[in-house]
Every structure is written in C-alpha cells, then in structure tokens.
Amino acid sequence: MTSDRLVCANCAGPVSEGRCAVCRANRARLQQENPWSALSPAALIALLVTLLAVVLVVEHAT
C-alpha cells in the first residue's frame, strides 16, 4: 500500500505530506514495512516499462 491516498485521522491531511507527528510516524512505518511504498504508482509503471524495453532489446540482440 502506498501512502499517496491515505488521509490522517489526526490532522485530516494526506499522510504523504507528513503534516503532524502521527502522519510522519505512519509514513515512516509504511516505508520500513515495504521499501517499494516510497515509489508512486506512476514510477512503478515506468520502471516496469523500462525493464520490459531492456528485455526486448537484449532478446532482439541475441
């Protein structure tokens, strides 16, 4: 789960902004549990497309 869409119950702000201590603590906990959570979904898609392109180039070269 990413913290992009999570809303803090304490300050009603996005957890990703870290407005209050509760937001910052939850953001840190999420990042410790899953290092991929720091990446946005768009970045994950870009990474996947890049990996696919590399595989296709290597396959075509052989």
Side-chain angles (χ1 to χ4, degrees):
M1 175 185 290
T2 62
S3 61
D4 292 345
R5 298 180 188 255
L6 294 178
V7 177
C8 177
N10 191 43
C11 69
V15 171
S16 60
E17 290 181 6
R19 293 181 184 176
C20 68
V22 175
C23 292
R24 290 187 292 274
N26 281 323
R27 184 177 58 188
R29 183 184 54 83
L30 284 171
Q31 289 174 351
Q32 286 177 354
E33 288 178 1
N34 185 4
W36 293 103
S37 67
L39 293 175
S40 69
L44 289 174
I45 291 170
L47 180 62
L48 181 64
V49 168
T50 304
L51 289 174
L52 181 62
V54 168
V55 167
L56 290 175
V57 167
V58 168
E59 187 176 298
H60 182 55
T62 59

